[in-house]
Amino acid sequence: MASHGLTYEGCNFLRQRLVLSALSGKRVKIKNIRSKDDEPGLRDFEANFIRLLDKLTNGSTIEINQTGTVLVYQPGLLYGGTVEHDCNPQRSIGYYLEALLMLGPFMKSPLKATLRGVTNDLTDPTVDLLKSTALPVMKKFGIDGEGFDIKVVKRGMAPGGGGEVVFTCPVRKTVRPVQLTDPGKIKRIRGVAYSVRVSPQMGNRIVDSARGILNQFLPDIYIYTDHMKGANSGKSPGFGLTLVAETLNGCFLSAEMSSTPQGQGDPILPEDLGRNCAKLLLEEIYRGGCVDSSNQSLALLLMTLGQQDVSKVLLGPLSPYTIEFLRHIRDFFQIMFKIEVQKPLEDERKGGDKVLMTCVGVGYSNISKTLK
């Protein structure tokens, strides 16, 4: 055991640690993973995530003790290429995709990942949300091109799954620094109301109730209804709504809701779901910033990995997940952010307190990218 690695305890933030380890090349050891639990050790979906990482890299070594309470990960070369993976239905594809978005641009060859499993559930960001908010964030950092896309081939609701998503990502040598300090006002709201294995009328009922709330604020609202049929509709019935508000300067804020999975808890009416989702979007707009709360850590990571220049991003209140992510960035990359709290004036109507994050990138360069 070399001593230059990092050691952590507990099962929280496993993805963050492994992703940062793969990017920084630092060995990471995680002890006491649910050691006091009735069923100690890694859960199936975490082991599944480690398998996915293993497919993406070349030469990484993973050691797990017998009970699964200690994990040692020595990262290898980020290889990329064409990958197929069956995600564990306990978590949605978004859980795996969030990590792929962070790793995708730094592969050796362009990534084409086909992920199968649950596309929309209650806990993780859904595939639609990542498509409409995470991709625009990455484009701001100069990660774009022909093959940068998330495509929902089949939808699969929890608990059965059966969905399929294709994520393609070009590789980049470097990430450019950004200055995102003024989001501007909201100019339009777009959304997708999806329904599978239920009456197609569900979509329209969701749209009507969501518009009932949002039309009081601005007229430019368009919510698509997406009803997948037959083999493309997965294994479980369900419906949901993803709403995205776009600002004048091209920032995206989003909210989403899915129906309760079949056989778990009280069912929810499509009208209630539409109303609640619209309120969640208004809450997110109140929090504001140039990046919404689900993509804060992605933006901060790309700022850290930028060229050796100053990046600034205005965020809403930091989520607990983001705060822990900042601590991990400090551990893996020795980068500290300058954090300034900005309180908007009463009469400005700019929502809640904002946080201006400033850092100088580490000048990360993609060493594994093949030179053409």
Side-chain angles (χ1 to χ4, degrees):
M1 292 291 211
S3 58
H4 61 269
L6 290 155
T7 308
Y8 291 105
E9 289 200 11
C11 61
N12 280 344
F13 313 109
L14 180 88
R15 279 183 310 166
Q16 288 187 14
R17 288 164 185 171
L18 294 181
V19 164
L20 289 171
S21 162
L23 287 170
S24 64
K26 289 188 177 165
R27 192 178 62 85
V28 65
K29 178 181 183 182
I30 303 175
K31 299 188 300 197
N32 295 349
I33 302 176
R34 301 193 179 88
S35 50
K36 302 254 189 333
D37 209 78
D38 292 346
E39 303 169 19
L42 290 166
R43 293 278 173 270
D44 292 348
F45 64 86
E46 293 168 333
N48 190 299
F49 176 73
I50 295 169
R51 265 184 231 115
L52 173 60
L53 261 190
D54 197 35
K55 286 180 188 174
L56 295 170
T57 54
N58 188 353
S60 52
T61 55
I62 300 152
E63 297 167 27
I64 301 175
N65 71 346
Q66 261 181 326
T67 51
T69 52
V70 179
L71 161 72
V72 179
Y73 179 71
Q74 173 75 49
L77 193 72
L78 286 167
Y79 193 77
T82 307
V83 174
E84 290 200 8
H85 188 68
D86 291 322
C87 301
N88 190 298
Q90 291 172 346
R91 299 298 288 261
S92 82
I93 290 177
Y95 174 83
Y96 301 89
L97 202 51
E98 275 190 308
L100 287 190
L101 286 163
M102 291 178 172
L103 295 171
F106 308 107
M107 298 283 175
K108 182 180 169 78
S109 46
L111 181 65
K112 180 177 187 232
T114 308
L115 303 174
R116 295 189 188 86
V118 177
T119 54
N120 305 77
D121 75 352
L122 292 165
T123 43
D124 297 301
T126 63
V127 177
D128 309 84
L129 183 91
L130 292 173
K131 179 175 177 151
S132 50
T133 58
L135 297 190
V137 168
M138 293 174 74
K139 284 178 180 161
K140 293 246 197 297
F141 287 88
I143 302 163
D144 55 0
E146 298 294 297
F148 188 44
D149 192 26
I150 295 176
K151 200 149 121 212
V152 185
V153 185
K154 301 177 185 172
R155 272 193 196 284
M157 302 293 288
E164 184 176 313
V165 175
V166 179
F167 170 52
T168 48
C169 181
V171 286
R172 285 286 168 267
K173 185 96 176 133
T174 51
V175 183
R176 67 167 181 232
V178 295
Q179 306 280 328
L180 301 174
T181 50
D182 180 24
K185 289 204 162 60
I186 305 287
K187 66 173 175 185
R188 60 167 163 236
I189 291 177
R190 292 286 175 268
V192 178
Y194 52 87
S195 53
V196 290
R197 298 189 172 268
V198 291
S199 150
Q201 202 49 45
M202 291 289 190
N204 303 341
R205 287 165 65 185
I206 296 173
V207 172
D208 289 346
S209 60
R211 294 191 65 120
I213 287 189
L214 296 173
N215 268 342
Q216 301 170 25
F217 299 100
L218 82 169
D220 186 0
I221 298 173
Y222 198 92
I223 303 175
Y224 300 89
T225 51
D226 173 16
H227 183 72
M228 291 231 177
K229 293 189 178 68
N232 291 349
S233 65
K235 297 176 183 167
S236 300
F239 50 86
L241 172 63
T242 302
L243 290 173
V244 180
E246 187 183 344
T247 69
L248 287 169
N249 298 346
C251 301
F252 295 83
L253 304 168
S254 62
E256 62 177 357
M257 274 195 89
S258 301
S259 57
T260 333
Q262 187 184 17
Q264 300 173 13
D266 300 331
I268 183 170
L269 279 172
E271 284 80 6
D272 295 346
L273 185 132
R275 269 196 299 276
N276 293 348
C277 190
K279 287 174 184 165
L280 280 177
L281 181 70
L282 296 176
E283 167 76 21
E284 191 62 58
I285 291 170
Y286 177 79
R287 294 175 63 128
C290 293
V291 181
D292 67 346
S293 49
S294 59
N295 293 304
Q296 284 175 348
S297 44
L298 175 65
L300 293 172
L301 177 74
L302 292 172
M303 285 167 70
T304 308
L305 298 176
Q307 293 157 13
Q308 292 188 333
D309 202 350
V310 178
S311 284
K312 286 186 181 188
V313 171
L314 186 72
L315 300 177
L318 299 180
S319 66
Y321 188 79
T322 309
I323 292 168
E324 200 58 45
F325 190 73
L326 286 168
R327 291 180 185 137
H328 282 124
I329 285 181
R330 183 189 61 198
D331 292 348
F332 283 97
F333 289 106
Q334 286 78 51
I335 285 283
M336 303 277 273
F337 282 76
K338 182 175 166 207
I339 303 176
E340 299 169 67
V341 178
Q342 298 187 348
K343 288 193 189 296
L345 302 168
E346 287 291 305
D347 52 350
E348 276 190 315
R349 303 176 88 170
K350 288 250 181 91
D353 294 354
K354 306 285 184 285
V355 185
L356 184 64
M357 308 292 288
T358 314
C359 83
V360 177
V362 289
Y364 187 83
S365 170
N366 183 354
I367 42 175
S368 42
K369 180 173 184 276
T370 39
L371 298 168
K372 296 279 191 296

